[in-house]
Amino acid sequence: MKWSKTFPNIEDVLLNFINFIGDDYIVGHNVSFDINFLKSNCETIGIKNFNPNFVDTIRICRKLFPKNTTIVWQMLLITLAFLFQKTMRIVVFMTVK
């Protein structure tokens, strides 16, 4: 496809991402899925030692609020973002439905 020629290759993107996070923690909701996706792509390009530190907030939510709704989980995410904002870099991805 012609448009794909304007985008960087996956090797460059992954290396830049790995350098960006360094030893910091990746914090996200259901981030385990993303970590597995990243690990798989790293292995595909020959990076075998990608094991980032991460905190999956969905695991926290399920432990703390096993019977509660998504709204409670969203409040926990807001609280976590506030608590960690001064100690780590946070990238927030939001989906509007």
Side-chain angles (χ1 to χ4, degrees):
M1 291 184 164
K2 186 176 181 178
W3 61 270
S4 65
K5 291 179 182 179
T6 62
F7 293 100
N9 62 43
I10 190 66
E11 293 89 355
D12 292 340
V13 172
L14 286 172
L15 290 172
N16 285 334
F17 179 73
I18 291 168
N19 288 331
F20 172 75
I21 60 172
D23 293 330
D24 291 341
Y25 277 76
I26 300 171
V27 179
H29 202 64
N30 201 23
V31 77
S32 298
F33 170 82
D34 302 296
I35 296 298
N36 289 330
F37 180 75
L38 288 167
K39 283 182 180 183
S40 175
N41 280 281
C42 283
E43 288 178 8
T44 299
I45 65 167
I47 300 171
K48 305 289 184 199
N49 59 347
F50 179 68
N51 290 307
N53 300 311
F54 69 94
V55 175
D56 192 339
T57 58
I58 201 166
R59 291 180 182 176
I60 296 169
C61 290
R62 287 180 178 156
K63 290 276 187 188
L64 295 176
F65 310 106
K67 296 181 182 180
N68 287 323
T69 65
T70 303
I71 293 171
V72 174
W73 291 11
Q74 290 170 350
M75 292 306 298
L76 177 65
L77 292 175
I78 291 167
T79 303
L80 288 171
F82 177 77
L83 292 174
F84 291 122
Q85 71 183 348
K86 294 183 181 179
T87 59
M88 64 178 55
R89 293 175 279 183
I90 297 175
V91 179
V92 178
F93 295 94
M94 297 181 70
T95 302
V96 179
K97 292 183 180 182

